[in-house]
Amino acid sequence: SSKPPFVNWCQVICFKLFGVNEASVRLPSALAVLFFGIVLILFGGKIGKPWLGFYSALIATTCRGIAGYHAGRTGDYDAMLTLFVTTYTLSFLSYLLDKKGKYILFFFIALSLATLTKGIQALIPLPFLLCWLIYKKEFKSVFKSKFTYIGLSIFLLLIGGYYFGREANDQRYFNALNDCEIGGRFNGVIDGHKHPFGFYFPIIRYDHFTYFIKFLPFAFIFNFFIKDKKLKELSIFSFLFAAIYLLIISSAQT
């Protein structure tokens, strides 16, 4: 596999603790969904809306797209990827709220773990976050913080150490990485997964978020007219984040 081994490491730890069995393979992904819900609850408390965090966690962890096949129920990468991408995104937002340097460290640690979970996929949201940082006029404050450079050093050490170490150990690994994760997947079709641009939309509507997707139009209307500026901005951020992410993966040939 061209993907980094963090999930596999977690599964091996479970093998050592609980034996080599199906539960051990599935447990890291199941725990990722649990911690995903906890992160949403904690962020709700962070912005002074604990019930918002609770209901967000309740909806997210009962969606088939997060708790079901190829995610929390099976020993795949995606539940853990979702956990770490959400964690680094909410750490980013938490820093914008109160400018505490610890959230920059949380951001880079979660970003490192997300990248060690599923490689390039974990980096897709970064250009949008950078644009949001510029929009909020916080670019200078972030890059003046010592925590940015500490966190960036952690990221480069972990990710650079893994990728260059594997290239040194496995000849032509970077070629395989490009074929399977970057250019080959985006510009070409892998494993017969050739589908049209709108491939994900019916999956979201009829499978992954079947029960909750019906409330989405009402949520947009409600959030548009809400007077709480913090929640309105969070709603705009979330919509743009999801829309751009969906646009990018829909544009891929695989």
Side-chain angles (χ1 to χ4, degrees):
S1 174
S2 61
K3 291 182 176 64
F6 185 75
V7 172
N8 303 121
W9 290 344
C10 293
Q11 290 169 331
V12 169
I13 291 172
C14 289
F15 288 158
K16 298 295 185 182
L17 293 175
F18 309 113
V20 181
N21 52 60
E22 185 176 337
S24 294
V25 176
R26 294 175 183 249
L27 185 58
S29 296
L31 290 176
V33 174
L34 172 65
F35 288 125
F36 173 62
I38 292 173
V39 166
L40 292 175
I41 292 171
L42 291 175
F43 183 73
K46 172 70 182 173
I47 62 174
K49 307 288 182 182
W51 285 104
L52 177 66
F54 174 77
Y55 284 124
S56 297
L58 187 65
I59 291 172
T61 55
T62 54
C63 286
R64 190 179 300 171
I66 293 173
Y69 173 73
H70 212 316
R73 187 172 174 82
T74 48
D76 295 295
Y77 301 91
D78 296 86
M80 204 166 286
L81 177 71
T82 301
L83 165 65
F84 292 134
V85 169
T86 303
T87 300
Y88 81 60
T89 303
L90 296 184
S91 297
F92 170 87
L93 291 175
S94 295
Y95 174 78
L96 295 182
L97 286 173
D98 59 18
K99 310 300 186 297
K100 290 184 179 178
K102 66 179 182 180
Y103 291 113
I104 296 178
L105 284 181
F106 293 161
F107 170 86
F108 278 106
I109 291 170
L111 175 63
S112 300
L113 292 174
T115 308
L116 285 174
T117 296
K118 209 173 181 183
I120 302 301
Q121 183 82 6
L123 307 180
I124 290 176
L126 293 186
F128 170 71
L129 296 185
L130 181 62
C131 291
W132 190 264
L133 197 64
I134 296 171
Y135 163 71
K136 296 294 293 180
K137 298 179 180 179
E138 294 291 347
F139 183 85
K140 288 185 178 180
S141 71
V142 168
F143 283 89
K144 285 181 179 179
S145 173
K146 65 178 182 180
F147 294 100
T148 299
Y149 299 98
I150 295 172
L152 187 60
S153 298
I154 292 172
F155 175 80
L156 293 176
L157 181 65
L158 290 174
I159 305 307
Y162 169 73
Y163 278 104
F164 284 102
R166 183 157 179 189
E167 171 67 15
N169 189 59
D170 297 335
Q171 296 301 315
R172 296 181 61 80
Y173 171 66
F174 284 155
N175 295 78
L177 185 68
N178 180 66
D179 292 341
C180 298
E181 301 292 327
I182 310 174
R185 182 173 293 271
F186 195 85
N187 297 320
V189 177
I190 295 178
D191 298 331
H193 292 298
K194 181 175 177 60
H195 301 286
F197 177 84
F199 170 72
Y200 293 107
F201 294 98
I203 292 177
I204 292 171
R205 170 65 181 85
Y206 297 108
D207 185 73
H208 284 184
F209 300 96
T210 306
Y211 304 106
F212 300 112
I213 200 72
K214 299 170 186 176
F215 295 100
L216 193 59
F218 300 102
F220 282 136
I221 295 171
F222 177 81
N223 288 334
F224 184 79
F225 290 103
I226 197 170
K227 294 181 179 180
D228 190 315
K229 292 183 179 179
K230 188 184 297 182
L231 290 183
K232 181 179 287 188
E233 189 170 273
L234 178 61
S235 177
I236 294 171
F237 174 90
S238 301
F239 171 76
L240 290 174
F241 184 102
I244 292 172
Y245 195 99
L246 184 60
L247 176 64
I248 291 172
I249 62 173
S250 295
S251 301
Q253 294 301 306
T254 299

